[in-house]
Amino acid sequence: MCPGVDADETGGGTDFFPQAHRARRAGTVYIAGDLRRSLTEADSTRGLARLGPHFDLPGLLSERRGLDAVVPYFTQSAPLYFFAHSMRGAMHMALNPDGRFHRRGYEAQALIVERHVRTLGARRVLEIGCGRGFNLLGLARRNPHVAFVGLDLTPWHVRSARLVAHRRRNLEIDEGDFHHLPYADGAFDLVFSVEAICHAADVYQVVEEVRRVLRPGGRFVTIEPWRSAGFDTFEEEARNAVRLVETAFVLPDLQEFDRWLDRTTALGFEPIVSEDVTAAALPNLDKLHRQALRWRRISWGRPTLRRLAPHLTENALAAVLLGECFRNGPSTAPGCYRHTVVERRS
């Protein structure tokens, strides 16, 4: 268990997401109709097979995609992220602690990071896996005396982020791989990741690189999905739902959170904040699941689309299954979504 922090440490700390909201949402399952029945049958293989006409589920369950699939995934999925998720460029879950989806929730992660930037007095900040620059643009506008740098592997993301960054003198966007950060040792006061290191081929290599580019006392802020502790003890249908999401979203090295934190601590970090914000992400998951079910009703064109852009169509499967990954609340779901801060030891 990580040590807690005072409200003064983070500008709100663990009270940012009310416990009452977590309890209110705890029993909700974001799977509808025959898909809910499919995923809760005793024979999970038979249940998931109902989705077989639309997807090669055995193939997806056995497939392990690596880093080479990340750029094709995001390139093919760009229209979906733009039209179905956020036209402003957000590529992460909105956090809505009041239990109702609204687009202001896309700004929550950047506001969390901003509190840590100001608490630490950071002057140079790096976002790894910055996507189209949504988080960085808001941070750079509100903190003109802080130098922000974004790094992303996907050329399309880099071009888009540079378009929004070109008027900000304190914002720079680079193309590169966060397994091999192109920066000097100790170059940054704070590094953050929002749903980015979940795509790492080797998440601990990323942690080591982050430690290298942080100054002693610098902080690594992550807001990420994880497997829950004891993942192998969950029912097979729940584990299969998580594995299908991992394949569809290209999450090749998703770890159990507790294991990742222990290993990260052993690599030279000290835990500062550990907060489960799964409940606040559920309204966005509900929205994605309803959008995916509308896609399921469209029969024309899907075989052709699946051949031309398989990653685009697999997003629909993942969106339906995401609710199953986070069902029943933060302590009993096979997946979780967490805000974590670790500090580099000298």
Side-chain angles (χ1 to χ4, degrees), residues 276-294:
D276 192 309
V277 294
T278 306
L282 292 178
N284 201 167
L285 298 184
D286 187 21
K287 170 181 175 286
L288 291 175
H289 134 253
R290 286 185 278 105
Q291 289 174 322
L293 291 181
R294 286 199 296 270

Side-chain angles (χ1 to χ4, degrees), residues 81-92:
Y81 275 97
F82 183 77
F83 290 107
H85 192 61
S86 167
M87 291 187 178
R88 293 179 56 201
M91 302 183 67
H92 52 267

Side-chain angles (χ1 to χ4, degrees), residues 141-175:
R141 282 173 174 165
R142 293 190 298 271
N143 301 273
H145 301 299
V146 178
F148 291 93
V149 180
L151 180 82
D152 202 274
L153 184 65
T154 304
W156 155 246
H157 290 170
V158 173
R159 291 193 297 270
S160 299
R162 284 174 175 168
L163 285 175
V164 301
H166 78 283
R167 293 184 180 179
R168 306 302 312 181
R169 294 184 178 181
N170 62 330
L171 177 53
E172 173 187 336
I173 306 296
D174 297 325
E175 183 176 334

Side-chain angles (χ1 to χ4, degrees), residues 325-345:
C325 298
F326 297 100
R327 66 186 169 91
N328 298 334
S331 62
T332 58
C336 58
Y337 191 81
R338 300 191 69 96
H339 157 221
T340 310
V341 183
V342 294
E343 183 174 284
R344 181 192 163 175
R345 293 193 289 265

Side-chain angles (χ1 to χ4, degrees), residues 229-245:
F231 177 79
D232 289 339
T233 66
F234 285 89
E235 296 178 357
E236 185 179 11
E237 68 268 21
R239 287 184 282 117
N240 283 343
V242 173
R243 287 167 177 152
L244 287 166
V245 168

Side-chain angles (χ1 to χ4, degrees), residues 54-132:
H54 308 292
F55 303 96
D56 176 16
L57 298 184
L60 289 172
L61 283 170
S62 63
E63 188 175 352
R64 291 295 177 266
R65 293 172 179 169
L67 193 63
D68 58 344
V70 170
V71 172
Y73 165 77
F74 280 110
T75 302
Q76 291 180 22
S77 302
L80 193 65
Y81 275 97
F82 183 77
F83 290 107
H85 192 61
S86 167
M87 291 187 178
R88 293 179 56 201
M91 302 183 67
H92 52 267
M93 293 296 102
L95 297 181
N96 301 123
D98 61 358
R100 298 178 62 185
F101 174 79
H102 50 80
R103 296 185 182 278
R104 294 189 305 277
Y106 290 132
E107 300 173 5
Q109 287 88 340
L111 293 174
I112 290 171
V113 171
E114 186 169 29
R115 291 203 301 272
H116 295 297
V117 168
R118 294 182 176 181
T119 297
L120 192 61
R123 308 308 298 170
R124 284 184 57 79
V125 175
L126 169 67
E127 181 180 12
I128 55 174
C130 67
R132 296 175 58 202

